[in-house]
Amino acid sequence: MDTASTLLTTPLHDLHLSLGARMVPFAGYSMPVQYPDGILKEHLHTRAAAGLFDVSHMGQVTLVPKSGRVEDAALALERLVPVDVLGIQPGRQRYGLFTNETGGILDDLMIVNRGDHLFLVVNASRKHEDVAHMRAALADVCDITLIEDRALIALQGPKAEAGLAALWPEAAGMRFMDARPATIDGADCFVTRSGYSGEDGYEISVPAGAAESLARALLAQADVQPVGLGARDSLRLEAGLCLYGNDIDEGISPVEASLEWAMQKVRRTGGARAGGFPGATRILAELDQGAVRRRVGLKPEGRAPVRGGVALFADAEGQQPVGTVTSGGFGPSVDWPVAMGLVDSAHAAVGSPLFAEVRGKYLPVTVAALPFVPARFKR
């Protein structure tokens, strides 16, 4: 188990303590789960104004092509992801998935074309495995580096643009999934207009030594407040976004996870660069014919949340198992419990009645459309 003495800390650790954060172990790091206002208020503030998140525990990785041609790095990375990496234009970002030979998901990630190299952001719990995976497969084409000396800050919410533009006016000109270098608060930063809350916002890669100054400059604005991992989880759940290790993992395929949108036509059957990624046989077949189970939204009856790991049944007696809840909690923005689950395709249609086994009782839940809260990205 993680202990305080073995946990890693981010460059914003002292700031979190000074703000009264409650720290918890997460992915090997000491991270803020909430601040004194609490998860509910932090969640609602992000939806109404702007929340500042420390996501420095995540992995920032560069893929530098040995040829000097970013196209070579893109084609190399396509060996590992069912994504059109070659089609990402300079200064743009795309969501991607590492798959394994059986068609499961090793990790989800963001991929940026920086013009002369690729920049990736991968999950904290998987970053060392992801780097080893890429080095084993791509070292003939790319130099792969896990960046250790930068922090990553996310500013999310409808007032995120105003908050960042106060320090860097060019922020207002960016659109969803744009990516560009920036000098902010005197620091050499790299900014993407993205995040994982369903809200408009930005992720800012900043030198570790400048991270606290930048965070304080953002927090000095009236509309910006610190937000911890607790509200980050409830925000992404309302937005219908997957959490690795819960809603997606090595045993769940992209089609089962309802992530078909992340696999472009050029990589599918009949496309110019169809297949060629791990698990392609299964994934392409599921794209064409459907999967036996699907990730769906779930709306429990009543006010009690249904948590991840709970079994789902088609009948109120628990005789016909059809799946499992993968993530669940209370949705502060919608003011009712929300959840996601993996269920048999025959029971995956919106409106399908199911039953969740909670402490020996079978509670009614209904398959619901995702997301629970509409995304508000700036297109």
Side-chain angles (χ1 to χ4, degrees):
M1 293 181 61
D2 293 326
T3 65
S5 61
T6 61
L7 291 173
L8 300 171
T9 58
T10 75
L12 296 179
H13 183 74
D14 290 344
L15 175 61
H16 299 315
L17 296 180
S18 74
L19 295 172
R22 181 163 73 86
M23 308 298 287
V24 298
F26 184 81
Y29 285 78
S30 176
M31 297 295 293
V33 68
Q34 67 179 76
Y35 296 87
D37 278 350
I39 292 171
L40 177 66
K41 289 184 178 180
E42 291 171 26
H43 177 116
L44 294 174
H45 182 84
T46 303
R47 291 271 186 250
L52 188 71
F53 303 76
D54 181 9
V55 288
S56 305
H57 57 313
M58 299 184 75
Q60 302 180 63
V61 184
T62 57
L63 271 64
V64 179
K66 294 179 179 180
S67 67
R69 289 170 30 87
V70 72
E71 295 84 0
D72 292 337
L75 288 171
L77 185 57
E78 286 190 2
R79 302 174 192 171
L80 300 180
V81 299
V83 176
D84 178 13
V85 183
L86 186 62
I88 306 173
Q89 296 301 305
R92 293 286 290 166
Q93 176 176 247
R94 178 166 284 167
Y95 178 80
L97 303 159
F98 286 124
T99 53
N100 61 23
E101 294 297 337
T102 57
I105 300 170
L106 291 174
D107 200 6
D108 60 343
L109 69 152
M110 302 303 300
I111 307 166
V112 182
N113 182 340
R114 291 208 58 178
D116 60 353
H117 70 280
L118 300 179
F119 172 73
L120 314 182
V121 177
V122 302
N123 282 304
S125 63
R126 295 288 305 174
K127 61 185 177 182
H128 296 293
E129 290 86 349
D130 289 346
V131 169
H133 182 56
M134 287 187 284
R135 285 177 175 160
L138 312 180
D140 58 328
V141 178
C142 300
D143 292 317
I144 299 148
T145 303
L146 177 62
I147 301 171
E148 304 277 15
D149 59 352
R150 296 182 74 85
L152 191 64
I153 298 171
L155 183 66
Q156 300 284 289
K159 297 187 178 180
E161 178 183 291
L164 185 55
L167 302 181
W168 181 58
E170 291 180 49
M174 297 179 72
R175 60 194 173 101
F176 183 56
M177 291 296 196
D178 276 350
R180 64 181 63 167
T183 300
I184 309 174
D185 194 44
D188 176 21
C189 298
F190 185 72
V191 180
T192 62
R193 191 157 195 164
S194 60
Y196 218 61
S197 65
E199 295 292 333
D200 183 25
Y202 305 84
E203 291 194 346
I204 308 164
S205 175
V206 55
E212 183 171 335
S213 175
L214 175 56
R216 288 188 181 279
L218 290 166
L219 289 170
Q221 301 175 60
D223 288 326
V224 181
Q225 293 183 8
V227 181
L229 293 178
R232 179 173 168 85
D233 188 55
S234 57
L235 288 160
R236 70 91 198 163
L237 179 54
E238 284 186 343
L241 300 171
C242 295
L243 176 64
Y244 189 83
N246 290 51
D247 311 294
I248 52 176
D249 61 31
E250 295 183 29
I252 300 171
S253 77
V255 181
E256 289 178 325
S258 300
L259 295 173
E260 297 96 324
W261 58 267
M263 297 176 284
Q264 292 73 33
K265 289 183 179 179
V266 72
R267 305 303 310 280
R268 300 187 183 197
T269 302
R273 298 190 310 283
F277 51 85
T281 300
R282 173 189 176 188
I283 293 168
L284 294 179
E286 288 185 348
L287 282 167
D288 294 337
Q289 302 161 21
V292 297
R293 54 184 187 164
R294 298 282 288 172
R295 177 175 63 95
V296 299
L298 299 167
K299 184 181 183 300
E301 285 190 13
R303 304 286 292 177
V306 174
R307 304 293 182 182
V310 166
L312 294 168
F313 297 84
D315 62 300
E317 292 74 39
Q319 299 300 306
Q320 188 180 349
V322 293
T324 307
V325 176
T326 54
S327 288
F330 192 78
S333 306
V334 295
D335 196 33
W336 34 263
V338 293
M340 295 191 295
L342 201 62
V343 305
D344 294 348
S345 293
H347 298 273
V350 171
S352 297
L354 300 175
F355 297 85
E357 183 181 10
V358 180
R359 293 185 293 277
K361 297 181 179 180
Y362 297 93
L363 306 181
V365 302
T366 303
V367 175
L370 292 173
F372 298 103
V373 174
R376 296 199 284 184
F377 307 132
K378 183 176 178 179
R379 301 286 183 179

